Amino acid sequence: MLMSARSQQQEKPTSVGEQLHNCQTQFDILRLLRELAAGFGYQYFFVANGATPEEKSFTEAIVITSAPADLVQAHEATQPVASNPLVGILAQGGAPFEFRLDNSAAPAPADFRVFIEGIAGAYNLDCAFVVPVYHPDHGPSAVFFIGKRAPMSIGETAELALYAHMAHQRLRQVSARPSKPDSPLTERERECLVWTSVGKTSVEIAQILSLSEHTVNHYLNNAARKFDAVNRTQAVAHGLRFGFID
């Protein structure tokens, strides 16, 4: 009887909180958020920062996403200037926000509406759920989900918003610490070096960060040049040695 009870306990699914606690890398959190998105009926998720002087475009603002790189690139190719569709939403406050294409009265900021409308047809989307989050070192950010599903219930809204906050907090915990003030690296260069240091290829880094392989190589080459390194391996070693990456 005791063995049977123990077996049942071992087979009991772990909570989202426990799963997040067990996440040790950004890639672990990417996989968990991808599962959460699917569980709530969404196709893709994004974790992205608000606009900063260094991250004016949406591509530069994205921390991790499950969306294909061409989705974001297709949006930015239609914009006359670099833009981040989250800026308007994050300026409105910290409440979770649901936007639906079938609701013409939805009070979405213009940039966000343009973003969703621009990709909806090609990717079979009709709604988005945005959870504003905040980190003292990184400022306002958002975890948001896009897909095609029925309107969110009050219970679903509260549950997914909680998971988004927990995931963002854990993501910042497992990510490398922000660059030192005297670091020559930009945030994107540092991120690419961090992923390289754990054995990820340019193709894998591009998928994780929703960038093109060419862009990842550009960031890595910039980092190597700044460190006067002959290749990315030497750049990683230099970054680790001087504490610019962890």
Side-chain angles (χ1 to χ4, degrees):
M1 182 67 69
L2 288 175
M3 290 182 62
S4 175
R6 185 178 295 111
S7 297
Q8 292 178 359
Q9 185 178 16
Q10 290 174 345
E11 293 174 1
K12 182 180 179 180
T14 56
S15 68
V16 173
E18 290 174 317
Q19 293 179 67
L20 282 169
H21 179 74
N22 292 330
C23 288
Q24 300 301 315
T25 67
Q26 286 188 354
F27 196 64
D28 292 337
I29 295 175
L30 184 150
R31 287 185 293 186
L32 181 54
L33 279 171
R34 185 164 51 197
E35 292 174 5
L36 280 173
F40 278 82
Y42 291 102
Q43 289 176 243
Y44 309 116
F45 80 86
F46 292 81
V47 179
N49 298 322
T52 69
E54 291 186 353
E55 298 173 342
K56 294 181 180 180
S57 74
F58 191 37
T59 296
E60 294 171 321
I62 293 172
V63 180
I64 57 172
T65 181
S66 61
D70 57 2
L71 183 153
V72 178
Q73 292 167 358
H75 160 70
E76 297 199 337
T78 64
Q79 304 306 302
V81 295
S83 66
N84 181 342
L86 291 175
V87 174
I89 288 179
L90 295 178
Q92 289 181 344
F97 171 86
E98 184 179 18
F99 170 73
R100 302 194 59 82
L101 287 175
D102 57 8
N103 180 5
S104 59
D111 284 352
F112 193 77
R113 182 182 290 275
V114 168
F115 169 62
I116 298 298
E117 290 179 345
I119 61 176
Y123 292 91
N124 193 30
L125 310 172
D126 69 359
C127 61
F129 180 65
V130 186
V131 183
V133 293
Y134 182 83
H135 189 278
D137 292 331
H138 300 272
S141 305
V143 181
F144 74 97
F145 307 83
I146 55 176
K148 188 171 187 178
R149 54 149 290 159
M152 295 277 281
S153 68
I154 295 176
E156 287 177 316
T157 297
E159 186 177 9
L160 188 53
L162 174 61
Y163 293 156
H165 278 279
M166 294 167 61
H168 181 260
Q169 181 180 25
R170 186 58 180 163
L171 175 62
R172 293 307 187 184
Q173 289 173 345
V174 304
S175 298
R177 292 192 296 271
S179 300
K180 290 184 175 181
D182 59 346
S183 173
L185 301 174
T186 66
E187 183 68 11
R188 278 304 195 194
E189 291 166 355
R190 183 189 61 80
E191 286 181 331
C192 289
L193 274 187
V194 168
W195 282 110
T196 301
S197 72
V198 296
K200 298 299 182 183
T201 66
S202 293
V203 173
E204 291 171 324
I205 297 171
Q207 292 173 340
I208 292 168
L209 299 180
S210 190
L211 302 172
S212 69
E213 183 183 359
H214 172 77
T215 299
V216 170
N217 287 330
H218 171 72
Y219 285 133
L220 289 171
N221 289 338
N222 279 351
R225 186 179 67 253
K226 289 177 178 179
F227 290 152
D228 196 25
V230 297
N231 54 38
R232 63 183 63 181
T233 300
Q234 192 178 64
V236 167
H238 186 102
L240 290 170
R241 178 182 178 186
F242 291 97
F244 297 139
I245 64 173
D246 294 310

